[in-house]
Amino acid sequence: DSGVTQTPKHLITATGQRVTLRCSPRSGDLSVYWYQQSLDQGLQFLIQYYNGEERAKGNILERFSAQQFPDLHSELNLSSLELGDSALYFCASSVSGGTGNYGYTFGSGTRLTVV
Amino acid sequence: KNQVEQSPQSLIILEGKNCTLQCNYTVSPFSNLRWYKQDTGRGPVSLTIMTFSENTKSNGRYTATLDADTKQSSLHITASQLSDSASYICVVSLLRGADGLTFGKGTHLIIQP
């Protein structure tokens, strides 16, 4: 157990629907990062939150949004889902806000299937 | 454009044999390079992290090397075990920036008994 908890583990939904993925960071970590991993693709950075504030934004579609709550858990909202959104979505957490630090831990991911 | 290229894309070896995975990167300015192991359907787990000043780092049967001049890294696995079957991902970190991790697509390693 990495200490980063993601729910649900699996999600199947229809095109056009909206889903919410949840991530609880490791105890003491202030940053949460969201990544998308499509079949045969590397992990693509979506967005980062640090202590409740958006810190960095990557290749995140306008149909996707995220937030980090006061208890530091984060939610990734995916709307108007398309078949191409089917992927593994990973959350990672770290103590600080930069990527130069070593304490970077991934959760087990949520597998989203859009049918 | 910052890129990380890994080779081979996939590899099959017999249990007990050694293997070496390669990573070439163009990321600049460079902060550190990490190797992760990702079991199927699971999140990546860190194996080694090296800064530009480190040439080699070991973690049990895993040994990573780094040549910052040629921007190449390798991950050597000794005496492979069935549990080593996984994807191995090379990740390079920019010197600055919260979004500065560039991921390779990984090498899919299969260990056969």
Side-chain angles (χ1 to χ4, degrees):
Chain A
D1 183 8
S2 68
V4 179
T5 303
Q6 289 189 247
T7 57
K9 291 191 181 304
H10 302 278
L11 197 52
I12 301 175
T13 189
T15 55
Q17 295 298 306
R18 172 190 168 95
V19 297
T20 297
L21 313 183
R22 180 188 171 103
C23 170
S24 293
R26 199 175 50 168
S27 178
D29 286 355
L30 299 178
S31 267
V32 170
Y33 308 77
W34 285 99
Y35 288 86
Q36 179 191 58
Q37 187 178 37
S38 301
L39 191 64
D40 296 331
Q41 295 294 316
L43 283 95
Q44 299 293 320
F45 170 71
L46 296 178
I47 197 164
Q48 180 210 0
Y49 278 82
Y50 176 75
N51 204 20
E53 300 288 329
E54 181 183 307
R55 174 64 68 95
K57 186 175 283 191
N59 300 318
I60 187 167
L61 300 173
E62 287 190 7
R63 300 183 286 108
F64 297 179
S65 65
Q67 55 185 325
Q68 186 178 29
F69 295 86
D71 66 352
L72 300 177
H73 91 271
S74 177
E75 293 182 354
L76 179 66
N77 301 297
L78 315 176
S79 61
S80 302
L81 284 167
E82 302 174 359
L83 295 178
D85 297 327
S86 296
L88 273 167
Y89 290 84
F90 287 103
C91 163
S93 74
S94 69
V95 171
S96 66
T99 54
N101 71 85
Y102 292 6
Y104 200 87
T105 306
F106 283 89
S108 295
T110 292
R111 180 175 293 281
L112 173 66
T113 302
V114 182
V115 298
Chain B
K1 181 180 178 182
N2 291 320
Q3 288 187 312
V4 177
E5 301 288 339
Q6 291 188 242
S7 61
Q9 195 170 19
S10 61
L11 182 62
I12 302 174
I13 64 171
L14 293 175
E15 185 181 10
K17 298 296 185 182
N18 303 335
C19 66
T20 300
L21 315 180
Q22 300 291 341
C23 173
N24 296 335
Y25 63 93
T26 61
V27 175
S28 181
F30 169 85
S31 173
N32 59 71
L33 184 145
R34 316 167 190 213
W35 282 93
Y36 283 88
K37 178 185 179 187
Q38 185 178 18
D39 292 315
T40 301
R42 305 297 299 271
V45 175
S46 180
L47 294 175
T48 63
I49 301 176
M50 290 181 292
T51 66
F52 67 91
S53 62
E54 296 177 289
N55 299 120
T56 185
K57 183 160 283 190
S58 292
N59 178 0
R61 295 178 297 101
Y62 300 102
T63 299
T65 64
L66 173 65
D67 186 333
D69 291 331
T70 62
K71 296 186 177 179
Q72 295 180 325
S73 176
S74 65
L75 180 69
H76 186 73
I77 304 175
T78 304
S80 60
Q81 301 176 357
L82 297 178
S83 59
D84 292 331
S85 294
S87 285
Y88 291 84
I89 304 172
C90 176
V91 184
V92 181
S93 173
L94 283 168
L95 189 58
R96 289 172 293 277
D99 59 341
L101 287 182
T102 304
F103 289 77
K105 293 186 178 181
T107 291
H108 186 53
L109 177 64
I110 297 174
I111 311 297
Q112 289 186 337

